[in-house]
Amino acid sequence: MGHILITGAGSGFGKEIAFRLAEQGHDVIAAVEIQPQIFALQQEAQKRGLSLSIEKLDITDPADRAKAWQWDVDILLNNAGISEGGSVIDIPAENLRKQFEVNVIGTILLTQGFAREMVKNKKGRIVFMSSVAGLTVDPFTGAYSASKHAIEAFAIALDKELKYFGIQIATINPGPFLTGFNDRMFETWKSWRDTPEDRVFDYSQLAFPHEQFDPEEVITTTLSVLTGKTKRYRNLVPAQMEKDTEKQINHVWDKLQNNPEGGAKDPLVQKAYQIRPGTPA
């Protein structure tokens, strides 16, 4: 099947996906953002009796991207990403830029180099770890959702542009899963370099406004997409969220503007004040 590159393999979905592929006997390159993550992954792989390549790849670093393009890669999983929580009105400029620099600019620039090689070879598969947030939007996740909406647009464009060359494109769209990623998103305000008194919202009172699922289904679905067992372009996980997601997407056509006199909080804003971090589904 060829070599599979997993970006952002230092933790979460990426790490476990890389390990599971190695267990199945695939040639895997697990790419991590920073050098210290290499040793930690090597130790864990050794304990599990796995053989895989572990490389440093900061997707925002042009030199790292150029180095990666020298690797023999047939299947690319763009999994590296960050999440910036907070209201659109409060997030500092540098945090907004970083959100897009990692999730969009770095991801697409890395993809360009591998896609060109795939075009030459007339084969390849590019998979984007997107999100249900690439299709819908919750309060306090606007920056993250916007970056994933952008990835969805790039993926659809690539799918049409590279069809002639036989390159396969797919997205994985996880809903809320309990990996720590969502809860950390609602703690990024702690490192903002701004004036807290100017914030509209008190983020110490807010949490990710959804119960969260066991991540196993995302891992198994991604493995199926990467290995070609699943042929669907878009893969929303868990599958039972599909109907509700479609309803949210279509709701905007009937939605009216807010009452100029104000009113009750949006239900998810209210829930963000009430729910505890890491609440399981």
Side-chain angles (χ1 to χ4, degrees):
M1 189 175 68
H3 294 83
I4 307 172
L5 171 60
I6 315 293
T7 68
S11 62
F13 294 141
K15 181 176 74 171
E16 190 58 31
I17 290 165
F19 284 168
R20 298 280 185 93
L21 287 167
E23 283 176 354
Q24 294 176 8
H26 298 292
D27 292 321
V28 179
I29 304 172
V32 299
E33 181 188 5
I34 56 176
Q35 203 74 29
Q37 290 177 303
I38 293 178
F39 180 73
L41 229 62
Q42 287 173 335
Q43 292 296 103
E44 190 167 347
Q46 188 175 15
K47 287 180 182 178
R48 292 173 65 160
L50 302 176
S51 175
L52 71 166
S53 298
I54 303 173
E55 301 282 352
K56 188 255 185 188
L57 171 57
D58 177 350
I59 65 171
T60 67
D61 185 334
D64 274 13
R65 292 195 297 263
K67 176 187 68 175
W69 292 333
Q70 307 307 309
W71 304 335
D72 181 17
V73 172
D74 302 286
I75 300 170
L76 168 64
L77 173 60
N78 283 305
N79 173 72
I82 61 171
S83 54
E84 183 69 45
S87 169
V88 173
I89 203 170
D90 285 334
I91 299 175
E94 63 180 321
N95 298 76
L96 282 174
R97 291 191 179 96
K98 186 176 181 182
Q99 177 71 90
F100 279 81
E101 191 63 37
V102 176
N103 287 19
V104 183
I105 305 302
T107 294
I108 298 305
L109 291 180
L110 179 71
T111 299
Q112 286 179 342
F114 288 118
R116 288 193 186 100
E117 194 64 26
M118 291 176 183
V119 166
K120 290 179 186 176
N121 297 330
K122 298 292 193 296
K123 66 174 183 177
R125 181 175 296 132
I126 300 169
V127 181
F128 293 91
M129 185 63 78
S130 181
S131 172
V132 70
L135 309 173
T136 61
V137 186
D138 286 345
F140 311 118
T141 67
Y144 176 69
S145 294
S147 73
K148 291 301 185 180
H149 274 67
I151 284 298
E152 290 286 328
F154 277 117
I156 291 173
L158 274 176
D159 183 65
K160 295 177 179 180
E161 293 159 0
L162 301 184
K163 180 180 180 180
Y164 172 78
F165 303 101
I167 313 303
Q168 296 176 302
I169 310 294
T171 70
I172 313 293
N173 297 78
F177 283 87
L178 195 52
T179 64
F181 186 82
N182 297 314
D183 296 307
R184 289 196 303 270
M185 173 167 51
F186 272 66
E187 296 177 351
T188 55
W189 60 272
K190 295 177 180 179
S191 62
W192 287 355
R193 292 189 291 184
D194 66 342
T195 306
E197 293 78 16
D198 292 340
R199 297 173 188 165
V200 172
F201 294 93
D202 179 359
Y203 295 100
S204 67
Q205 303 300 312
L206 300 176
F208 181 71
H210 292 284
E211 292 80 10
Q212 301 177 65
F213 300 99
D214 184 291
E216 180 63 25
E217 191 174 352
V218 176
I219 295 163
T220 56
T221 298
T222 305
L223 292 175
S224 294
V225 174
L226 291 173
T227 58
K229 293 178 182 176
T230 297
K231 299 298 184 183
R232 293 187 70 178
Y233 167 81
R234 175 172 288 155
N235 300 270
L236 200 152
V237 192
Q240 64 261 33
M241 287 185 63
E242 286 188 9
K243 287 187 178 180
D244 183 63
T245 300
E246 288 177 4
K247 187 185 298 184
Q248 290 183 59
I249 293 170
N250 293 328
H251 173 66
V252 71
W253 294 104
D254 301 317
K255 186 183 184 309
L256 300 178
Q257 296 178 28
N258 291 333
N259 186 334
E261 297 179 0
K265 291 185 178 74
D266 179 272
L268 283 178
V269 171
Q270 185 63 41
K271 190 170 183 177
Y273 281 101
Q274 295 172 336
I275 197 170
R276 293 183 61 81
T279 300

